Amino acid sequence: MEREEFPESVKLQALIRQNYTCGSCGEKIESLRQIGQISHKYGEGARAHHMRHCQMGGTNDVSNCVIICEACHYSAHNGGDYRNKSSFLISSAPDYEFFYKKE
């Protein structure tokens, strides 16, 4: 199955919902992909992550999208072990401390 991407509008909605922070570690994310590297504490870009992967029935809706920095994205996939089926464990908003905007 081919990997599906989130539309740019969904990625932006998720980033705004998270108050421009990584949904996992809370580090500031000013922009998606490599553009945000300059302002990231560790020089990392950011990725849109499917909490429920498409091959497990997930959608490309904002409710299934969490924006996380590259290190957190790598960790979300068991240290990058994308071939391991446990890499496709289903997660939810409570699994990402910074999923919702913090005031």
Side-chain angles (χ1 to χ4, degrees):
M1 172 181 270
E2 189 172 317
R3 187 173 68 114
E4 295 184 39
E5 294 289 331
F6 290 104
E8 290 300 315
S9 61
V10 167
K11 294 176 191 179
L12 182 57
Q13 288 173 46
L15 190 57
I16 291 168
R17 177 196 63 225
Q18 294 171 211
N19 197 28
Y20 292 86
T21 59
C22 173
S24 185
C25 71
E27 184 59 43
K28 191 75 174 161
I29 296 174
E30 289 186 12
S31 184
L32 295 169
R33 294 180 297 283
Q34 302 309 99
I35 299 168
Q37 283 182 315
I38 296 168
S39 60
H40 190 275
K41 183 176 181 179
Y42 300 107
E44 297 179 10
R47 299 282 179 255
H49 176 68
H50 288 89
M51 292 187 297
R52 177 185 292 259
H53 296 277
C54 294
Q55 60 194 134
M56 301 294 282
T59 66
N60 285 330
D61 296 332
V62 69
S63 63
N64 192 40
C65 179
V66 62
I67 305 299
I68 52 180
C69 61
E70 289 177 338
C72 291
H73 192 237
Y74 186 79
S75 293
H77 289 279
N78 290 330
D81 185 6
Y82 293 95
R83 295 178 192 271
N84 181 341
K85 288 290 186 197
S86 67
S87 295
F88 296 107
L89 291 173
I90 297 166
S91 57
S92 64
D95 293 332
Y96 294 97
E97 181 179 353
F98 300 94
F99 184 81
Y100 294 108
K101 185 176 183 176
K102 305 277 185 183
E103 297 297 332

